[in-house]
Amino acid sequence: MPMREAVLAHARAASPGEPVGPAHSHPYMAYLDDGRIIFVAHNGSVDKKALAAELGIDPTGYTDSFVLTLFLAKNWGNPDKAVENAMRYVKTALNLAVLEFPSLRAYAYTYYRGPREYYAMYLIKEGGAVAVVSSTLLRHIEYSGEELKSGTLLAF
């Protein structure tokens, strides 16, 4: 059954040296060549300079997650391959939530090298709703979830 409603939310703890403020809040939006739009929330850190060099842009003034969003958009014709290619740039984690518009197709990916208690992601199913949440959020809600193995890509 296709999704009719979707929510993508992310509370950002900025990495040291990364820009802060409303313009640097997730989710980031990027247009695809075919007119679709992706919204991306990312937890973790990636090599912003190397990603920017591959894209041919100056990373100054952008977060690593924004540059990652541009990289994903450039490669989103095949989401599995886009995520696989992004793995080359992981420093701590590539935890992603991506919402594609107008299809409302959603993707969640988790991969981390950092501490599990911070980076683990969980799948929650309640009634007809499905959510992927961080370990941090899971500590504050009254639901239990199934821990996703690092390296898991889900599509809804």
Side-chain angles (χ1 to χ4, degrees):
M1 176 168 72
M3 260 194 299
R4 292 178 294 164
E5 298 176 3
V7 175
L8 176 57
H10 177 64
R12 177 177 176 238
S15 298
E18 289 294 301
V20 296
H24 307 291
S25 298
H26 300 220
Y28 288 112
M29 180 179 77
Y31 289 92
L32 308 182
D33 290 339
D34 63 7
R36 290 177 297 154
I37 301 170
I38 58 171
F39 297 89
V40 178
H42 166 240
N43 184 27
S45 101
V46 294
D47 187 338
K48 173 172 70 171
K49 290 180 182 176
L51 273 169
E54 181 159 327
L55 292 168
I57 63 171
D58 178 359
T60 306
Y62 299 116
T63 67
D64 63 336
S65 297
F66 178 76
V67 177
L68 173 64
T69 298
L70 297 178
F71 177 84
L72 291 171
K74 180 180 175 186
N75 295 281
W76 201 250
N78 181 338
D80 293 334
K81 192 73 168 165
V83 170
E84 180 183 319
N85 290 339
M87 289 293 297
R88 298 188 310 247
Y89 303 98
V90 174
K91 289 183 175 179
T92 62
L94 188 67
N95 284 348
L96 297 170
V98 180
L99 181 60
E100 190 180 286
F101 184 80
S103 69
L104 292 185
R105 188 147 174 90
Y107 300 84
Y109 181 72
T110 181
Y111 172 81
Y112 54 91
R113 295 182 179 142
R116 178 184 155 276
E117 61 275 1
Y118 180 74
Y119 288 114
M121 292 175 62
Y122 295 83
L123 178 65
I124 298 173
K125 294 180 181 179
E126 183 68 29
V130 176
V132 176
V133 301
S134 69
S135 54
T136 304
L137 181 59
L138 193 66
R139 288 193 297 266
H140 299 284
I141 61 176
E142 296 180 13
Y143 294 97
S144 60
E146 171 192 342
E147 184 173 346
L148 299 174
K149 181 180 172 189
S150 183
T152 300
L153 175 64
L154 300 175
F156 305 97

